[in-house]
Amino acid sequence: MNLRGHASILRAVAVAALLTAAAISPAAAHGILERSDPAANASVPAAPKRLVLWFTEPVDPVLSSASVLDGQGRRVSGRAVVGEDRRSMRVEVDAEAAGLYTITWQVLSTVDGHVTRGAFVFAVGRPAPDAASSQTAPPDPLAVAARWGAFYAAILLAGSIFFQLLVLRPTERRAGVPAGTAGRGTATGVLRRLQVAASLVLIATVTAEFALTAASLIEASLPQAVARGLLWPLLFGTKAGWSALARWGLAMLLLLPPGRTGRVVQSAGLLLMIGTAGLAAIFRSLTALASPTHTLHLILVVGVSLGYGLVNAIRRPPEVDWVPALAAAGLLAGFTLTSHAFGSGPAAIIADWTHLLAAAAWVGGLVALFVVVRTRGAAAGSATHSAASALTPILVSRFSMAAALSLGILVLTGLYGMWLHVPGLAALTGTPYGRALGLKLLLVLALAALGTMNHFVFRPRLAAATGGARPPGHRRFLRAVTGEIGVGAAILLVVAVLTITPPASVVAPSAAREPLRLAGLAGPAGDVRVRLAIAPAKPGWNVYEVDITSGGAPLSGATRALLRLTHLDVPLMPVTVRLLGRDGGRFTATGGELSLPGWWEVTVIVRRASRLDDATAFPLRLGVPPTRPSDPAALRLLDRARRTAGTLRAWRQVEELTDGRGNVVVTTFEFVAPDRMRYRTSGRQEAIIIGARRFTRSDGGPWEQDSLPDPLKVEGPALYMREAQAVTQGRLADCEGEPCRVLLWEAPGGSAAFAGWIGTRSGRVYRLLMVAASHFMTVRVRDFDAPIRITPP
């Protein structure tokens, strides 16, 4: 293939990646039960009339279910109904008697298409047993076998195509092997048979995988599900179905013979699938394309696909075309569609796809190299094959370089995936996902060791071949490659387990996750830096730990540290905790002051001799507060705060953002309505934005100018009040001499929670706290309508 052909592949792959990534928003991986009402292992005085479950990500409303069983195993619940936010599920309960009740649930995630199951118990009128709730069941061996077969077949199919394109044909062309020679035809034929077999196995295993998924979700036999039309929502409305359709279609295209007719159908079918996938990504749904609104779009895609197929058939077909290579890459993208990475953002999606491409080039290419070298070795010494068999050392050398590149890509993308899905080293041994990942890492090391031996030991021996004789070490080389293939198959088996096991980041015990999440709430207090850790960060007895540093070193001298704990939901008196000083600027204490769930403000006070106290405050939300309807008075005050923010001419605000791991960024903003902003971060980044013009610089360097896609419209704190839910009133406070009311609300879907200090006379927002899954924010607003001028630098 010439450079133009390679460029076509790269462009097509890039377009497909962008179309896929553009449709994705970051989310959790697997729908894990986050909380419930009644809670797991709770004891309630009377049987509830309704059970509510909340999950970490949206679930399918049709294919998700839950049921409640009494102590005799009888079902005492109605049909589960998924809420409008897709994260909650309600189940009506018809139970009166005291006793133990068991809840079982299973959900299909709309983010990554994975099925998650679990169970827990609660008691009515009696103590509940101290038993952990079950979040996931061990992987079904049949599901693992089907997934492994699909993975292995896809890796072999894609890897043999990549090998033929990038290793075999360039080597033969460089050596001047004529297209019609027996050696060249034999290699092509054996690879073609390998690809046909892999395509057939792939179709069979994907079918089995989809059937197992359907059987686990649909409460009917497969024939009944087909007769009632229950399969179609799963096939066309979920990522599991889309993934199966993509892999079926592309495997069938790769089954087509390489003749002119097969070429027409293959190229047209590939463009049709790319066009349909692009439309589905743009309109966020495959089922949306069935509406009359999109008929013209589909007709256009079909027309372009058929036209290109005819044009591709008229010209003389080269021996290896870009169509099979792109179809193979798309086939691997079908696995990414239901991977953990699909819920983690565009970068994770592209990394996962690249990981699969590199695995196919290495493991699948190994099988292709094995069958080609074995075929050439068997024919070595004959008059018709001697020249071709002499290419074996060159083939091995070229593949060795490709394998080394693939290994580097696998290591980089694998480490990135590990960073995403494993919260810490303890999770490698403390969760099923972590243990499987550890086994995979060991197998990859073994595979790399075998590859290194082949490269540095057997490859030089093969290079000693002369004429048409079988190279020395040929048999040992094939044995070593066989070992590599076996280890590669074992790795893919572990991968099959990993892909249907929830990541460690979402199933690690909450008691282990929460201290990690709150192990480093960091912020400035005057000229020092404070780091606060609270464990286990639950209502009840906690351990407090504060580190105070100055210039990166522990603060020395006569220093004391205190905590002021203020509950924001109810008007309790703030509690002050005196911390005991340790070596190295560390202060600790234990106590049960955080006994109530809900919103807290934790202020760290640094007290030094002969100077005023310095302080910094952090938001803290303990436990799982009950879902409450919005308070009308709170809604009115919040609406007034929105309108007041829209009337401000200028103001300043300071924002502190910490990730819970000891990192903090402090940003000072200046705003002038309607479209001017200036800010400076603690990392010495500066920017001035006026309308659509933006000026930036770092570390006091020269200013650079660029343009924004849309002109700036300053909103200030009103930005965090959009579509506020569960708005309630908290305690009264004082804000620079004005009485304030603390308002509490949540963002849509519960992705973040806010506490805001609103002036009861002016409607101004003086302070704002936010708690989200991975960061904590404190905002202070001041200098309302000050004479601020923002001009270009």
Side-chain angles (χ1 to χ4, degrees):
M1 175 178 288
N2 56 25
L3 291 176
R4 184 177 300 174
H6 286 296
S8 299
I9 295 176
L10 293 175
R11 283 196 298 270
V13 170
V15 169
L18 289 174
L19 283 172
T20 303
I24 307 304
S25 299
H30 265 76
I32 296 296
L33 182 65
E34 190 174 50
R35 57 191 172 98
S36 65
D37 183 18
N41 305 319
S43 178
V44 295
K49 297 301 181 183
R50 175 182 294 179
L51 168 73
V52 185
L53 309 173
W54 287 270
F55 298 93
T56 56
E57 62 185 42
V59 301
D60 189 278
V62 177
L63 299 169
S64 300
S65 61
S67 61
V68 182
L69 306 177
D70 64 11
Q72 286 73 44
R74 295 172 299 193
R75 181 166 180 164
V76 292
S77 61
R79 183 177 178 273
V81 178
V82 175
E84 292 183 0
D85 59 356
R86 299 290 183 91
R87 293 176 183 266
S88 62
M89 180 188 295
R90 303 186 311 276
V91 184
E92 300 298 326
V93 180
D94 182 15
E96 299 292 343
L100 193 66
Y101 292 85
T102 302
I103 295 90
T104 60
W105 55 268
Q106 68 172 10
V107 293
L108 175 67
S109 167
T110 59
V111 174
D112 58 14
H114 288 164
V115 179
T116 312
R117 302 175 183 84
F120 64 91
V121 298
F122 70 89
V124 175
R126 51 168 282 188
D130 186 14
S133 61
S134 170
Q135 283 279 7
T136 57
D140 181 4
L142 290 178
V144 172
R147 189 74 169 176
W148 177 53
F151 259 123
Y152 205 3
I155 291 293
L156 292 185
L157 179 56
S160 65
I161 291 172
F162 296 157
F163 176 85
Q164 193 173 1
L165 175 68
L166 301 174
V167 177
L168 180 61
R169 289 297 175 249
T171 302
E172 290 179 334
R173 284 197 299 269
R174 181 176 297 177
V177 179
T181 60
R184 190 162 182 174
T186 301
T188 302
V190 73
L191 287 179
R192 176 61 186 166
R193 290 193 292 273
L194 175 65
Q195 292 161 12
V196 169
S199 297
L200 293 173
V201 172
L202 180 62
I203 292 171
T205 51
V206 170
T207 303
E209 184 183 352
F210 180 76
L212 289 170
T213 302
S216 67
L217 289 171
I218 300 173
E219 298 178 354
S221 64
L222 199 58
Q224 291 175 334
V226 174
R228 299 176 189 173
L230 300 178
L231 282 182
W232 312 130
L234 178 61
L235 187 60
F236 294 104
T238 68
K239 288 186 175 66
W242 301 345
S243 173
L245 288 173
R247 289 178 288 167
W248 277 327
L250 291 168
M252 291 177 182
L253 289 180
L254 291 172
L255 267 177
L256 295 171
R260 179 155 295 182
T261 302
R263 182 183 178 81
V264 172
V265 179
Q266 194 177 71
S267 56
L270 179 61
L271 280 185
L272 178 61
M273 292 190 69
I274 292 176
T276 304
L279 290 176
I282 292 171
F283 298 113
R284 306 281 177 168
S285 173
L286 189 63
T287 54
L289 302 184
S291 65
T293 308
H294 302 303
T295 302
L296 184 60
H297 297 131
L298 286 175
I299 292 174
L300 180 62
V301 168
V302 172
V304 171
S305 302
L306 291 177
Y308 180 80
L310 292 174
V311 171
N312 198 33
I314 292 172
R315 67 184 180 89
R316 183 179 179 183
E319 293 176 358
V320 179
D321 193 26
W322 64 270
V323 173
L326 186 54
L331 183 67
L332 298 177
F335 288 93
T336 296
L337 188 63
T338 55
S339 69
H340 300 310
F342 209 81
S344 303
I349 294 169
I350 295 173
D352 184 84
W353 189 18
T354 306
H355 194 81
L356 289 175
L357 291 171
W362 187 7
V363 179
L366 267 175
V367 178
L369 177 69
F370 176 84
V371 297
V372 170
V373 171
R374 185 178 181 183
T375 302
R376 293 187 184 279
S382 65
T384 56
H385 292 78
S386 58
S389 61
L391 294 178
T392 296
I394 306 175
L395 278 176
V396 173
S397 179
R398 188 178 181 92
F399 176 78
S400 182
M401 292 187 293
L405 176 62
S406 298
L407 176 60
I409 295 173
L410 285 169
V411 169
L412 292 176
T413 54
L415 289 175
Y416 176 65
M418 183 176 175
W419 176 75
L420 281 177
H421 302 308
V422 180
L425 292 178
L428 281 175
T429 57
T431 63
Y433 185 91
R435 290 190 289 270
L437 183 60
L439 177 58
K440 178 189 173 184
L441 293 176
L442 292 176
L443 290 172
V444 169
L445 289 176
L447 186 61
L450 287 172
T452 302
M453 183 177 65
N454 276 335
H455 180 80
F456 290 105
V457 178
F458 295 115
R459 184 180 62 85
R461 295 180 184 178
L462 291 174
T466 57
R470 175 176 293 185
H474 182 276
R475 184 172 298 174
R476 291 184 179 180
F477 170 75
L478 289 180
R479 288 176 180 171
V481 172
T482 303
E484 282 192 76
I485 293 171
V487 175
I491 292 174
L492 292 177
L493 178 59
V494 177
V495 170
V497 174
L498 284 171
T499 57
I500 57 179
T501 302
S505 57
V506 297
V507 300
S510 59
R513 286 207 311 270
E514 289 191 63
L516 176 66
R517 183 167 63 89
L518 298 179
L521 297 178
D527 61 341
V528 299
R529 178 187 172 108
V530 170
R531 176 180 172 273
L532 168 68
I534 302 176
K538 292 182 177 181
W541 196 265
N542 281 274
V543 177
Y544 313 108
E545 185 176 279
V546 172
D547 291 292
I548 305 175
T549 58
S550 178
L555 188 66
S556 58
T559 304
R560 289 190 294 166
L562 304 91
L563 293 182
R564 181 178 295 129
L565 310 175
T566 306
H567 200 285
L568 302 181
D569 296 60
V570 293
L572 298 174
M573 288 294 293
V575 179
T576 299
V577 178
R578 296 183 180 273
L579 303 174
L580 179 64
R582 306 287 185 184
D583 294 333
R586 176 163 294 180
F587 302 82
T588 62
T590 60
E593 294 82 6
L594 298 174
S595 57
L596 293 179
W599 264 102
W600 289 83
E601 182 186 34
V602 181
T603 304
V604 180
I605 302 171
V606 181
R607 183 162 292 173
R608 289 175 281 181
S610 302
R611 62 179 298 165
L612 297 176
D613 291 347
D614 293 310
T616 186
F618 301 104
L620 186 62
R621 201 179 187 214
L622 296 182
V624 181
T627 301
R628 295 178 292 182
S630 294
D631 178 12
L635 282 173
R636 288 193 296 269
L637 184 55
L638 189 68
D639 183 66
R640 184 183 174 192
R642 286 196 206 98
R643 289 185 279 107
T644 302
T647 64
L648 291 176
R649 297 187 301 273
W651 69 94
R652 294 184 176 93
Q653 69 185 47
V654 178
E655 177 184 289
E656 295 177 19
L657 190 66
T658 176
D659 62 357
R661 295 181 175 87
N663 302 306
V664 62
V665 176
V666 181
T667 307
T668 303
F669 292 89
E670 292 180 310
F671 296 95
V672 175
D675 62 351
R676 295 182 179 231
M677 177 179 71
R678 178 168 52 217
Y679 70 82
R680 180 185 179 90
T681 72
S682 53
R684 295 179 58 80
Q685 305 290 321
E686 297 179 75
I688 296 174
I689 301 176
I690 301 175
R693 292 185 299 163
R694 177 171 59 184
F695 307 85
T696 58
R697 69 173 179 175
S698 301
D699 294 321
W703 290 93
E704 297 179 1
Q705 181 178 352
D706 62 357
S707 297
L708 299 175
D710 299 304
L712 172 69
K713 182 181 179 181
V714 298
E715 296 182 69
L719 175 68
Y720 304 105
M721 303 177 187
R722 294 176 179 172
E723 301 177 17
Q725 299 176 352
V727 185
T728 57
Q729 296 189 81
R731 65 184 300 127
L732 286 169
D734 179 81
C735 298
E736 300 180 12
E738 179 184 3
C740 278
R741 172 69 71 178
V742 177
L743 295 186
L744 311 170
W745 69 91
E746 294 184 1
S751 58
F754 297 87
W757 279 252
I758 315 295
T760 56
R761 291 198 302 260
S762 65
R764 291 173 174 174
V765 180
Y766 287 90
R767 295 181 58 204
L768 192 71
L769 302 180
M770 182 188 75
V771 173
S774 59
H775 52 277
F776 306 77
M777 183 179 70
T778 302
V779 176
R780 296 176 178 85
V781 187
R782 55 186 173 85
D783 297 339
F784 300 98
D785 291 331
I788 301 173
R789 294 183 67 240
I790 299 178
T791 59

